Amino acid sequence: MNISDIAKLAQVSKSTVSRYLNGGSISEKTRQKIDRVVKETGYSPNQFAQSLKARRTQMLGVIVPRLSSYASNQTLYGIETYLRPRKYQTIIVNTDLDQQLEINAIYTLAKNKVDGIIFLATTLTDAHIAAIQSINVPVILVGQSYDRIPSIVQNDYEAGRLIGQYFGKARFDRIAYFGVDASDKAVGIHRCRGVMDGLSEYDKQADTYITSFKLKDAQNTAKSFLAQYDAVICATDNIALGVLKAAFDMRIDVPQTLSISGFGGYETTSIVTPMITTIVFPYEETGRIAALSMMKLLDHDEVPLVQRMDFKLDEKESVDISHFNE
C-alpha cells in the first residue's frame, strides 16, 4: 500500500494525499475521505510518514528575498546551524525581491526533490499561494502568514505599538513614519498600524512617507521631508540608516534636532554615530524555529499554524532623551 493506492481508493490526487500526510491545505471533506481509507486499509498516517521519511533527500530549499539583508542572513544562519548537525544540505535561492523568481523557485525546488521549502517572504500573491498548494512538498513561511500554511512571523503590530508609545509619551510634536508599501503586509501594514495605534494612545499622529527597503532609496527620499520633523520612526534599520545619512548630508544634528529609530536590531545600528535606537527582532532564533518546525512537519508532528517571535526595545543614542523629561 502506497500513496498512489490511497489516492485511488479515496478518489483524490497523489498530491492531495501528500498534503494530507504533511499537514498541508485540503478541505475537511477530502480529509475525512482519506481518513476513512486509511482506517479501512489498516494503515496509519504515521506509517505513511515513516515511508516518506525513508525516502528523504536530506535537502531543504530556502528562498530568500535578498542576500544583502541582515535579517535574511541571520535567519539563514539560524536555519543552517540547526540543520547541519542533522546532515541536511541547504539549497539557497536568492530572488532579489523578484516575485516571479520566487514563484519559479517554488516549482523548481519541488522538482528537484527537496524534502521541504522555507520561504522568507516579503509579499504573498495568489500566484505564490497557488504554487505552494500545487506542489507535493511542505512549505513554511517566514515573515508573512497565510491560512493553513505554517508561518513564523515577527510580532510586527505589537513591536510597532511599543515604539509608537515610546515616541508618543515624549515631547515630540512633529513626527513622521517612514515605511514601505502595503504589498509587504507584515512591515507595510501591521508594523505601521502598530506605530499609529501606539502614538494615538498619547493623542499623537505621524505623517507617513513610503520608500523601498534599500538604504540609498531611503536616503534620497528622506531629503525631501526631514527638515519638517523632530522625530522619524523608520520601518526598518536599513531605512533608519538611510535617514541618518540624509540628515548628515543636510547638516541636521541627530539627535539634538532630529530623533531617529528603526526596527530589526541590525549590527550596523551599533557601529554608526550616533548609534540607532531600534526594536530588536530575534532573526537567528527565527531561522532555528523554522528549521525545527520543518523537521516536525517531515516527521508528521503537529506545528502551530502561526508562531510569533518576541522582541525588545534597544535604546541607544539617536533619540534625544531630554524629550522624555517631565
Side-chain angles (χ1 to χ4, degrees), residues 223-291:
K223 290 180 180 180
S224 67
F225 66 83
L226 279 192
Q228 306 172 46
Y229 299 96
D230 48 26
V232 179
I233 303 170
C234 301
T236 72
D237 283 345
N238 223 35
I239 294 173
L241 290 166
V243 170
L244 181 64
K245 181 62 169 66
F248 177 81
D249 294 343
M250 298 170 68
R251 301 184 183 276
I252 297 174
D253 291 330
V254 178
Q256 292 84 356
T257 303
L258 179 71
S259 291
I260 302 170
S261 72
F263 286 82
Y266 300 1
E267 287 182 345
T268 44
T269 62
S270 295
I271 62 174
V272 295
T273 302
M275 293 187 291
I276 296 175
T277 292
T278 186
I279 293 287
V280 179
F281 289 128
Y283 293 118
E284 183 181 333
E285 178 65 8
T286 301
R288 191 190 75 81
I289 294 297

Side-chain angles (χ1 to χ4, degrees), residues 42-55:
Y43 284 85
S44 70
N46 285 338
Q47 288 174 301
F48 281 119
Q50 291 299 317
S51 174
L52 290 173
K53 183 176 179 181
R55 297 199 297 272

Side-chain angles (χ1 to χ4, degrees), residues 3-258:
I3 288 179
S4 296
D5 297 325
I6 295 298
K8 188 178 296 183
L9 290 170
Q11 296 183 322
V12 298
S13 68
K14 289 191 294 183
S15 63
T16 299
V17 176
S18 180
R19 287 201 299 275
Y20 166 88
L21 296 175
N22 289 293
S25 174
I26 59 175
S27 70
E28 185 58 31
K29 182 179 179 181
T30 301
R31 187 178 301 280
Q32 290 175 1
K33 286 171 61 177
I34 299 175
D35 280 340
R36 185 170 60 254
V37 170
V38 167
K39 184 177 180 180
E40 289 173 353
T41 57
Y43 284 85
S44 70
N46 285 338
Q47 288 174 301
F48 281 119
Q50 291 299 317
S51 174
L52 290 173
K53 183 176 179 181
R55 297 199 297 272
R56 290 184 189 176
T57 62
Q58 297 298 115
M59 296 188 299
L60 280 186
V62 182
I63 302 171
V64 298
R66 52 195 178 98
L67 288 174
S68 59
S69 162
Y70 174 84
S72 293
N73 279 317
Q74 289 298 106
T75 304
L76 274 174
Y77 182 77
I79 292 170
E80 291 204 296
T81 53
Y82 182 87
L83 293 177
R84 199 176 302 129
R86 291 158 179 81
K87 309 301 181 184
Y88 256 85
Q89 181 181 357
T90 307
I91 301 175
I92 301 168
V93 181
N94 173 40
T95 61
D96 287 325
L97 293 170
D98 186 311
Q99 293 180 17
Q100 189 56 53
L101 289 180
E102 292 172 346
I103 293 162
N104 293 345
I106 293 169
Y107 289 116
T108 300
L109 287 169
K111 288 178 181 177
N112 281 278
K113 307 299 182 184
V114 295
D115 293 331
I117 297 172
I118 299 175
F119 178 22
L120 280 57
T122 58
T123 301
L124 282 178
T125 66
D126 290 343
H128 285 100
I129 301 304
I132 291 170
Q133 293 180 337
S134 70
I135 61 176
N136 299 325
V137 174
V139 175
I140 287 180
L141 298 174
V142 175
Q144 306 289 332
S145 61
Y146 187 82
D147 185 37
R148 299 192 66 81
I149 299 176
S151 307
I152 301 164
V153 297
Q154 305 306 330
N155 199 341
D156 291 284
Y157 174 79
E158 290 299 335
R161 183 166 170 259
L162 176 63
I163 204 73
Q165 293 169 331
Y166 178 73
F167 278 87
K169 66 186 178 183
R171 290 182 286 105
F172 293 112
D173 298 319
R174 301 172 301 160
I175 303 173
Y177 178 75
F178 200 15
V180 299
D181 66 47
S183 62
D184 185 322
K185 290 183 179 179
V187 180
I189 297 177
H190 303 312
R191 196 174 296 180
C192 177
R193 186 175 296 155
V195 170
M196 298 306 173
D197 287 351
L199 286 170
S200 70
E201 292 176 30
Y202 293 86
D203 295 321
K204 292 186 178 178
Q205 57 186 11
D207 297 328
T208 301
Y209 297 89
I210 300 299
T211 185
S212 73
F213 286 96
K214 296 180 180 178
L215 187 155
K216 195 67 177 178
D217 290 344
Q219 177 187 347
N220 292 334
T221 303
K223 290 180 180 180
S224 67
F225 66 83
L226 279 192
Q228 306 172 46
Y229 299 96
D230 48 26
V232 179
I233 303 170
C234 301
T236 72
D237 283 345
N238 223 35
I239 294 173
L241 290 166
V243 170
L244 181 64
K245 181 62 169 66
F248 177 81
D249 294 343
M250 298 170 68
R251 301 184 183 276
I252 297 174
D253 291 330
V254 178
Q256 292 84 356
T257 303
L258 179 71

